[in-house]
Amino acid sequence: MKKFIIRTIIGGAIVLCCAIALDVVITRGLKQIDDFIYEPWTYIQEGNHQHDVVILGNSRAQGHIHPMILDSICGCNSYNLGIEAYHMNMHLLKYDYYLQYNPKPKLIVYQVDLATIHRHPIKRGSNSEQFLPLFYESYWRERFVDLGYNQWDLYCPLYRYFGYHTAIRQGIMEGLGLTHFCINPAYKGFKGWDKIMEDRGVPDDQLKIDMSNRFTEDIKDLVAFENFINKCKSEGINIVLVYSPIYETVEKQLTDRDIFNEYMTNISKQYDIVYLDYTKDVELRSNKIYYSSPGHMNLLGAEVFTTKLAHDIDSIGFLKK
Amino acid sequence: MLFNSFEFAIFLPIVFLLYWFVFDYAISKCKRQLLWQNLFVVVASYIFYGWWDWRFLILIAITTLLSFLSGIGIEYAPTQRGKKAVMIANIIINLGILGIYKYYDFFATQFARLFGIEADFLLLHLILPVGISFYTFQALSYSIDVYRKQLAPTHDIVAFTAFLSFFPQLVAGPIERATNLLPQFQKKRTFDYATAVDGMRQILWGLFKKIVVADNCATYVDTVFADISNQSGSTLLLAAILFTFQIYGDFSGYSDIAIGTAKLFGIKLMRNFNVPYFSRDIAEFWRRWHISLTTWFRDYVYIPLGGSRPNIPEAIRQKGDKALEARYTKWIAVRNTFVIFLLSGFWHGANWTFVLWGAYHALLFVPLLLLNKNRRYRDTVATITLPDGTIKTKWLPSLKEAGQMLLTFALAVFGWIIFRAQDISQIGEVLSTICSDSLLSIPWLMNRDYYIPTIMAIILLLAVEWRSRNYSHGFGFLNRSNQFVRIVTYLMVLFCIFAFGGHAENFIYFQF
């Protein structure tokens, strides 16, 4: 019995040491990868980036608002903090995390839509591997429990990596210096889509979007949103709320669109902030060639849209003060 | 509590240490040491089961109490008729509980459909208690064995409760016989280093089969079967093949973990799988697949029904016609075969697909039975028995053996399509798509970070099981390896479990 227990403990200790070492290698490796999943977080951590404009929102922020165009038209330095497949809670966390390392911007362009104020799971959600290298940071440790991760994820080496085959492979190879991954890198946080919806050949009447009945009735989310606006106002940061275009056939299907628009219009009046609704822009909404999917514009669409947006922001004059 | 969860990784060492140090060593001079140790097994087992849903502990307790009392009832009943009545009452009550929870809604729906009435008000919508089919059958085996005088009834309710609720095999078997397991709770267990180490190896191999093989296959299979109408024939065929490995990795992995865990506590459970995909015909497959259930049906249904050697009725015997007697014997054997396969299918769940799956296997089995070829392959494939009785394994099977194994495997794959389908119409849809032109198209594959590990894991599974087909489990051959090989193997397997493990899935057989 004694022999069995001693050997089991020694074996367990060896496994634990290997797990800790591997965790460090993978985490370090993932932070070195140049792609749109991990690189934006590493960039934020580098710190001291002085951006005049930061763009917040979900995939429709990340893939619709191109910082290069915004910079060239407005003469500013912008960065896209958009995060695909996540809702407002994560948008604000990412922005808050950005402020831990970087000075505050002059202007926030917040892309809002029906999916913005709508809760959905974080743990093992879409692209959730981007959070894996962040678990060593106390900032995230405190918050990840609220986001659905458990104590095992936080304190057990390697546990959080379980099932993420690609992240493990890439992390080991990059961490051991065997290769350098540079796949689909983002440009200043921007990551667009190059597909054209028309090429899919789906008739208009069959196009669908998973954004109906999304406007939350959870008062907590609305309060958090308004608290954020208040905080920005008190810190002298301007906010522009932007509702970027949706392909017209499916935009009409959105059952909550009127409630959402009314809410955003009221917010803009109440807090004296600008709300730009591009869902009514005929050129942007009706040109199928601008879309990669009904809710997402492709690179061409993003270019046209960002140009319009940049001119509108420029004309408001926030960045000239 | 799942075997592949971190809760279990904490639970097991705690229970192990308390079991041997507190309830064995520390109180070794206590007269009631065995009682306390068994009581501890019961408490641990109830915590293990209650972790899922404590309310269903009441059902296990009822089954335990009824079966325990039935044993005493059979002992004290003055007449044979009385003994039989007690046994039958116990069977009816236990099967009644099982029937209500597992089959009532199914029969109510069929009844409503038959008479064209609304089914909703007839349905109970009960949650199926995990493992109810397993522990119910275990409980039945006790009272039947006591009635048959194959086992003396126990008066020790603690040992009996430990027998029926022993946590490693409580929720998904092996379905133990009282004759094997109960006596082990009635005598002092001693710790054996070699057995415990072997148990740890079996647990490791079981985890590999479950987490790397089954869970990875499940990712593909679940995606494909969730949207059958949009899949090509080749994709569906690949999904069926992967499901064949998924269900094996899942269930035999569970059994390995259960048997290995039991070994840590000095308890020997029966083998449940014996390399079934290396079978040369379907009869051999059924001697190697879910052995504890197959032998249960053989011992408690097939043989009592007459098996393959029924009593010839007087009317036939008087005729003195041997050919007629042989025909009668065959007919009874065929009938009994159908009965146990249909029951075995229905045991898996209240769905016609399971019944059809049972019937399909019966149809494959019956020709072998009629030709007296169902017992052809009682040895392990590609082995030679030397004159001194030792068995030597060959590296590779002969061409004939390989062909037979491949054919049996293909037949099993076909059966698993029936088993996996949600309903009868889905079986037709899957089969018609597989038999269409799209079978020749390139199947859809997931991200290469999933399909490469899955294929590698299946190859490794087959290679290891082939290497150890004469051992009690996949890592049995490590007993003869040197320490370096063993340590490297352990670390590599642990790495595979971590790096290539699929998302944690429930064990398939929990639903049965």
Side-chain angles (χ1 to χ4, degrees), chain B residues 13 76 181 234 258 300 405 490 496:
Chain B
Y76 289 114
L181 189 54
S234 54
Y300 299 113
M405 285 191 290
Y490 300 152
C496 285

Side-chain angles (χ1 to χ4, degrees), chain B residues 339-406:
Chain B
V339 167
I340 61 160
F341 273 107
L342 292 178
L343 282 178
S344 171
F346 204 50
W347 175 90
H348 284 85
N351 194 330
W352 289 117
T353 54
F354 294 124
V355 179
L356 192 62
W357 173 75
Y360 165 75
H361 276 282
L363 284 172
L364 295 178
F365 191 94
V366 162
L368 296 172
L369 182 73
L370 293 174
L371 296 168
N372 281 331
K373 289 187 173 177
N374 56 319
R375 289 168 183 272
R376 253 190 315 180
Y377 301 118
R378 296 179 69 83
D379 58 342
T380 306
V381 67
T383 52
I384 309 163
T385 308
L386 299 173
D388 64 353
T390 54
I391 296 169
K392 203 177 166 207
T393 53
K394 291 192 275 184
W395 275 99
L396 292 169
S398 66
L399 266 179
K400 184 187 169 195
E401 285 170 332
Q404 288 172 322
M405 285 191 290
L406 212 59

Side-chain angles (χ1 to χ4, degrees), chain B residues 18-38 40 188:
Chain B
L18 289 174
Y19 179 86
W20 288 114
F21 283 103
V22 177
F23 294 95
D24 188 71
Y25 179 74
I27 58 167
S28 56
K29 286 182 182 155
C30 171
K31 277 184 185 174
R32 294 179 168 244
Q33 178 270 330
L34 191 61
L35 176 80
W36 285 110
Q37 198 179 37
N38 285 339
F40 176 67
K188 186 172 163 55

